[in-house]
């Protein structure tokens, strides 16, 4: 990192708050953010990309700093476009900030991460340094396997990122941050608005669409709305055991007693409503789950792209099984089929290299204990789809199985591998 954040840690340790943090948004740190940006990315309403900005980098950065000091820098509205939603006929909104806004947001997000890394609770895993989804799943596995868990509450927050209250967001930030200038710029990002079809729409709630600062703001919001509340009002007051694992706005809660799981579900609705949020009832449920349900494999829930099921070992002991969720697998197959159709004209060696990169990415995410069969099934799907697309590519010289197997002999498809082994 370009900045030395030692003083932030010392302030937090001594006072529990921080101030004077705007100084960490400086020429050096903004240049570091510029280096991190990818080339050939879609541009915001300013039409500026990394290559163009770099032509006068020193001048642009100095000018940006000067405007921030005079408070004349104002984030531009986010350009909103729509892209196909895989596995559905619907379109998904995508926010694209302007280039300078990406730099400032990235810098401020880095500062916020440094501030809150010692404040967030251990049950929070999403978009935090040195934490990932596999750690969250490992902890969930440990809780269900070793604690007195009989029920899981799988609750989904309806349109979370679109409904964050700006007023509450600022109040939460002010618990720790006393730098009014820093808070002022956070407010400006929150209220920057959206540009769609040449029309500007005000932002009276929600986090910046597509913004680099949105994940950390989401974590701060739910730290106060969910994490602290769960610890103080649920774990400390319910008589049975209770635990929660959260990955940004995706979370599951585990309970020993049925009546407390039901009570929590109702109290959760009230809690979320207070902060402008609500449960998506059609995607939320209470599942009877755990050791007492070990032989009931019908009870299951989805979390972080996996379906979590009751299972039994060969020796008859209870185990928690994690496999790729049907919905995610369907989406992945549809996306892979589309990609193959679009890239089938590439030279076969180059094509299979690209396929293997994508397969390795799939294996690295879904390669978890007990999921090998699903990985292998996905590999065979890709292999079969490749064969079908090659057959379509040439009407004169159709690829036979013999020819296809010869191709794979010299250009092998990447085979599955378990990367994440769960243990208790």
């Amino acid at each position: 990192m370009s900045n030395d954040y030692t003083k932030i840690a010392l302030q937090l340790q001594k006072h529990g708050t921080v101030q004077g943090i705007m100084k960490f948004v400086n020429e050096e740190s903004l240049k570091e953010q510029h280096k991190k940006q990818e080339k050939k990315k879609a541009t915001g309403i300013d039409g500026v990309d990394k290559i163009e900005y770099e032509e006068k980098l020193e001048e642009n950065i100095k000018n940006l700093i000067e405007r921030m000091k005079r408070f004349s820098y104002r984030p531009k509205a986010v350009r909103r476009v729509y892209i196909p939603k895989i596995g559905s006929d619907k379109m998904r909104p995508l926010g694209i900030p302007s280039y300078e806004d990406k730099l400032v947001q990235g810098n401020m997000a880095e500062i916020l991460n440094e501030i809150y890394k010692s404040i967030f609770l251990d049950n929070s895993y999403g978009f935090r340094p040195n934490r990932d989804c596999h750690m969250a799943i490992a902890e969930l596995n440990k809780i269900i396997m070793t604690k007195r868990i009989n029920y899981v509450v799988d609750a989904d927050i309806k349109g979370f990122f679109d409904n964050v209250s700006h007023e509450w967001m600022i109040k939460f930030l002010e618990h720790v941050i006393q730098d009014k200038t820093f808070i002022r710029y956070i407010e400006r990002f929150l209220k920057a608005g959206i540009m769609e079809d040449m029309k500007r729409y005000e932002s009276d709630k929600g986090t910046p669409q597509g913004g680099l600062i949105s994940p950390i703001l989401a974590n701060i919001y739910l730290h106060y709305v969910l994490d602290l509340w769960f610890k103080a009002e649920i774990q400390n007051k319910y008589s049975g055991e209770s635990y929660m694992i959260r990955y940004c706005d995706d979370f599951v809660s585990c309970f020993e007693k049925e009546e407390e799981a039901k009570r929590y579900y109702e109290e959760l609705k009230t809690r979320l409503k207070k902060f402008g949020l609500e449960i998506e009832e059609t995607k939320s449920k209470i599942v009877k789950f755990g050791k007492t349900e070990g032989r009931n494999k019908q009870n299951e829930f989805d979390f972080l792209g996996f379906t979590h099921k009751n299972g039994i070992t060969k020796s008859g002991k209870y185990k928690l099984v994690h496999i790729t969720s049907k919905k995610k697998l369907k989406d992945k197959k549809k996306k892979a089929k589309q990609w193959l159709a679009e890239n089938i004209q590439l030279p076969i060696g180059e094509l299979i290299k690209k396929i293997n990169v994508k397969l390795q990415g799939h294996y690295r995410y879904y390669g978890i204990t007990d999921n090998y069969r699903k990985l292998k099934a996905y590999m065979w799907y890709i292999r079969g789809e490749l064969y079908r697309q090659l057959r379509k590519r040439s009407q004169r010289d159709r690829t036979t199985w013999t020819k296809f197997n010869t191709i794979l002999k010299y250009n092998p498809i990447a085979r599955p591998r378990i990367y994440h082994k769960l243990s208790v």
Side-chain angles (χ1 to χ4, degrees), residues 222-358:
L222 290 177
H223 169 72
Y224 290 99
V225 173
L226 280 181
D227 300 355
L228 293 179
W229 170 74
F230 190 90
K231 183 177 180 180
E233 299 296 326
I234 307 302
Q235 287 184 314
N236 290 345
K237 294 185 178 181
Y238 283 15
S239 60
E241 291 191 28
S242 58
Y243 306 89
M244 181 175 72
I245 299 293
R246 182 175 66 81
Y247 190 95
C248 201
D249 64 322
D250 197 359
F251 66 102
V252 290
S253 309
C254 306
F255 293 87
E256 177 185 355
K257 298 181 178 181
E258 181 179 13
E259 63 271 21
E260 291 186 340
K262 291 179 178 178
R263 177 181 160 191
Y264 162 75
Y265 187 78
E266 295 304 317
E267 289 182 353
L268 178 62
K269 294 179 187 177
T270 304
R271 177 69 179 179
L272 292 178
K273 186 177 180 181
K274 178 180 178 179
F275 300 98
L277 304 172
E278 62 179 306
I279 285 179
E280 178 60 80
E281 298 275 6
T282 59
K283 297 180 181 179
S284 303
K285 59 184 178 180
I286 299 174
V287 185
K288 196 171 184 181
F289 201 90
K291 294 178 183 177
T292 57
E293 289 292 302
R295 296 188 182 280
N296 187 350
K297 297 182 181 180
Q298 299 303 311
N299 290 357
E300 59 185 42
F301 64 95
D302 284 3
F303 180 56
L304 298 179
F306 291 88
T307 296
H308 308 276
K309 306 163 68 80
N310 292 308
I312 298 291
T313 64
K314 292 180 180 179
S315 60
K317 294 182 179 180
Y318 175 78
K319 71 180 298 187
L320 181 57
V321 178
H322 318 269
I323 61 174
T324 312
S325 78
K326 290 180 181 178
K327 181 181 177 181
K328 288 294 181 182
L329 191 58
K330 182 179 179 181
D331 290 350
K332 293 276 287 185
K333 285 180 176 180
K334 187 171 183 177
K335 193 172 182 179
K337 183 177 181 178
Q338 181 179 329
W339 183 88
L340 277 168
E342 293 170 353
N343 292 273
I344 198 64
Q345 298 301 328
L346 290 172
I348 191 64
E350 182 182 345
L351 178 61
I352 292 179
K353 281 182 181 179
K354 289 180 179 292
I355 289 171
N356 284 341
V357 169
K358 291 180 177 294

Side-chain angles (χ1 to χ4, degrees), residues 16-76:
T17 59
V18 294
Q19 55 186 334
I21 57 175
M22 201 63 204
K23 65 185 177 185
F24 294 115
V25 181
N26 51 49
E27 288 186 31
E28 186 182 359
S29 60
L30 288 170
K31 287 177 183 176
E32 284 295 316
Q33 290 300 320
H34 170 72
K35 289 178 183 178
K36 295 176 183 178
Q37 303 305 312
E38 295 181 30
K39 295 180 179 179
K40 298 181 180 179
K41 278 285 189 177
T43 60
I45 64 171
D46 59 347
V48 177
D49 61 10
K50 180 174 182 174
I51 296 173
E52 182 179 345
Y53 198 81
E54 198 168 87
E55 290 175 358
K56 297 181 178 179
L57 182 62
E58 293 289 337
E59 181 182 334
N60 287 333
I61 293 294
K62 285 181 180 180
N63 178 269
L64 174 57
I65 290 293
E66 285 301 315
R67 282 183 284 130
M68 294 190 78
K69 287 178 179 178
R70 297 195 309 266
F71 297 109
S72 63
Y73 163 70
R74 289 188 175 276
K76 293 179 172 59

Side-chain angles (χ1 to χ4, degrees), residues 13-199:
Q13 190 175 8
K14 187 175 182 180
H15 305 291
T17 59
V18 294
Q19 55 186 334
I21 57 175
M22 201 63 204
K23 65 185 177 185
F24 294 115
V25 181
N26 51 49
E27 288 186 31
E28 186 182 359
S29 60
L30 288 170
K31 287 177 183 176
E32 284 295 316
Q33 290 300 320
H34 170 72
K35 289 178 183 178
K36 295 176 183 178
Q37 303 305 312
E38 295 181 30
K39 295 180 179 179
K40 298 181 180 179
K41 278 285 189 177
T43 60
I45 64 171
D46 59 347
V48 177
D49 61 10
K50 180 174 182 174
I51 296 173
E52 182 179 345
Y53 198 81
E54 198 168 87
E55 290 175 358
K56 297 181 178 179
L57 182 62
E58 293 289 337
E59 181 182 334
N60 287 333
I61 293 294
K62 285 181 180 180
N63 178 269
L64 174 57
I65 290 293
E66 285 301 315
R67 282 183 284 130
M68 294 190 78
K69 287 178 179 178
R70 297 195 309 266
F71 297 109
S72 63
Y73 163 70
R74 289 188 175 276
K76 293 179 172 59
V78 172
R79 183 167 75 91
R80 184 160 66 186
V81 297
Y82 291 86
I83 60 175
K85 189 174 182 180
I86 300 298
S88 171
D89 295 330
K90 298 180 180 178
M91 301 293 281
R92 180 170 66 89
L94 180 68
I96 307 171
S98 296
Y99 192 79
E100 279 191 338
D101 296 343
K102 290 180 183 179
L103 303 186
V104 179
Q105 280 197 39
N107 198 164
M108 294 180 78
E110 189 178 89
I111 295 167
L112 288 171
N113 274 306
E114 189 66 24
I115 293 169
Y116 285 92
K117 70 180 184 181
S118 61
I119 296 174
F120 288 149
L121 303 187
D122 286 341
N123 70 316
S124 168
Y125 289 87
F127 303 106
R128 292 182 60 187
N130 303 316
R131 286 184 161 231
D132 60 31
C133 61
H134 298 106
M135 294 170 70
I137 292 170
E139 183 61 20
L140 176 66
N141 187 76
K142 181 180 176 182
I143 288 169
I144 294 177
M145 290 282 287
T146 64
K147 307 298 182 180
R148 294 197 295 270
I149 298 304
N150 300 307
Y151 296 88
V152 170
V153 178
D154 177 17
D156 184 270
I157 301 177
K158 187 176 182 179
F160 169 71
F161 286 94
D162 295 329
N163 290 292
V164 166
S165 162
H166 292 175
E167 182 180 356
W168 278 112
M169 183 80 255
I170 297 303
K171 286 181 180 179
F172 294 151
L173 289 167
E174 288 175 340
H175 274 293
V176 177
I177 299 171
Q178 295 186 341
D179 188 323
K180 292 183 179 180
T181 302
F182 192 91
I183 295 290
R184 186 174 177 178
Y185 277 119
I186 293 288
E187 284 188 281
R188 287 187 177 183
F189 277 117
L190 290 172
K191 299 181 183 300
I194 296 165
M195 187 70 76
E196 181 180 343
D197 294 332
M198 303 302 290
K199 293 181 180 179

